[in-house]
Amino acid sequence: MIKFLDLKKNTERHSEEITDAVNSVVSSGQYILGAEVENFERKFAEYIGTGFCVGCANGLDAIYLILKAYIELGKLTPGDEVIVPANTYIATIIAVIQAGLTPVPVEPDPETLQISPQKIKEAISNKTKALLIVHLYGRCAYSQEIAALCDKNNLLLIEDNAQAHGCKFSEQRTGSIGNAAAHSFYPGKNLGALGDGGAVTTNDGELARIVRALANYGSSAKYVFDYIGRNSRLDEMQAAILSVKLPYLDEENAGRMEIAAIYNNGIRNPLITIPSEAPREQNVYHIFPVFTPYREELKKYLEDNGVQTLIHYPIPPHKQKCMPQWSGMSLPVTENIHRTELSLPISPVLTTDEARKIVELINNWQVKE
Ligand SMILES: *Cc1c(COP(=O)(O)O)cnc(C)c1O
């Protein structure tokens, strides 16, 4: 069986270094907010290219903490509208709602699957105060058009970089482009911990200071509380593991790009559409999506032939039970993506031979009437 993502195999590649790092935390006696978190924050800020990085518990919290910090700074006010991609993973939207803000879904460009600048323009109202872009599937969602829209309308630009660690827009890494960025280190992400983890990166020192306080009950100094915060800390064990894995991220992303090139160059089946290719380095292929109206048939065919696939995602956010306020919306591009998308295996431990086998299977696939 070719797994969608063989996490065990991926961890085994680093097992010796990880074991050493974990043992060193075990014997340090310091398990929360110690040297490992500080060290990882410094390295990750350097990697992303920002002045500041603040670790937190997960990606959902990272987005929430940025928004809440902007509220504390007076740059956002509860009830303000925040534009989000309609086809994002729902955590993006949950964070906006939990911060007391109003998410406004905007459809993607069907070619790139990323939020459409043209449709952002149509969605901007006098209540719109921030644009939360998501580099979905590992592909850069930023563009000069988006920059111009933010400038013109005085919008904060926030990046959800959960799926795009290492991705670049010209010389800049995603996560350093907007006013602030949220990262998730969920095990399956391009840079994954062996548990939950997250971070905020920014060049805004004041914002970083408030995010840090909010992630630690709102504490600005020991036993001094300036805000009503939450407990959302990256722990020492996960920080130590992330420091082991960070130096391999570029090499692992290069492996993903190699697999993607095999898919992009090899898949030729009239029943299947693959997205247009992004400019070089603007896609780190967290996910390799293909589209077919016969998704269930393709999924079963690949499974019968020993290939595991997943769907990202089967139900769009506006059709979820938790979003009754959006249930009447018509978002046809998003609905079509969720109806026809299938994610092929892609990871640093998938071999090129496996990828070629998958291409061959896909090219031989037919739908029986
Ligand atoms: C994974 C993910 C999140 C949430 O990250 P967690 O660490 O699981 O909370 C947010 N946004 C996107 C786009 C994601 O893929």
Side-chain angles (χ1 to χ4, degrees), residues 57-63 88-93 134-137 160-163 182-187 189 196-198 286 313:
N58 53 63
L60 170 67
D61 282 4
I63 308 167
T88 186
Y89 178 58
I90 198 153
T92 319
I93 293 160
V134 181
H135 306 295
L136 202 65
Y137 301 142
D160 178 342
N161 201 42
Q163 300 191 358
H183 307 265
S184 162
F185 305 121
Y186 178 80
K189 309 292 192 192
D196 278 310
H286 175 60
Y313 301 90

Side-chain angles (χ1 to χ4, degrees), residues 49 63 70 74 87 105 155 164 170 209 226 231 237 249 270 285 297 307:
I63 308 167
Y70 276 128
N87 59 324
L155 306 179
S170 110
R209 188 184 62 74
D226 294 0
N231 175 352
M237 205 80 88
L249 177 59
Y285 293 99
E297 288 89 338
V307 178

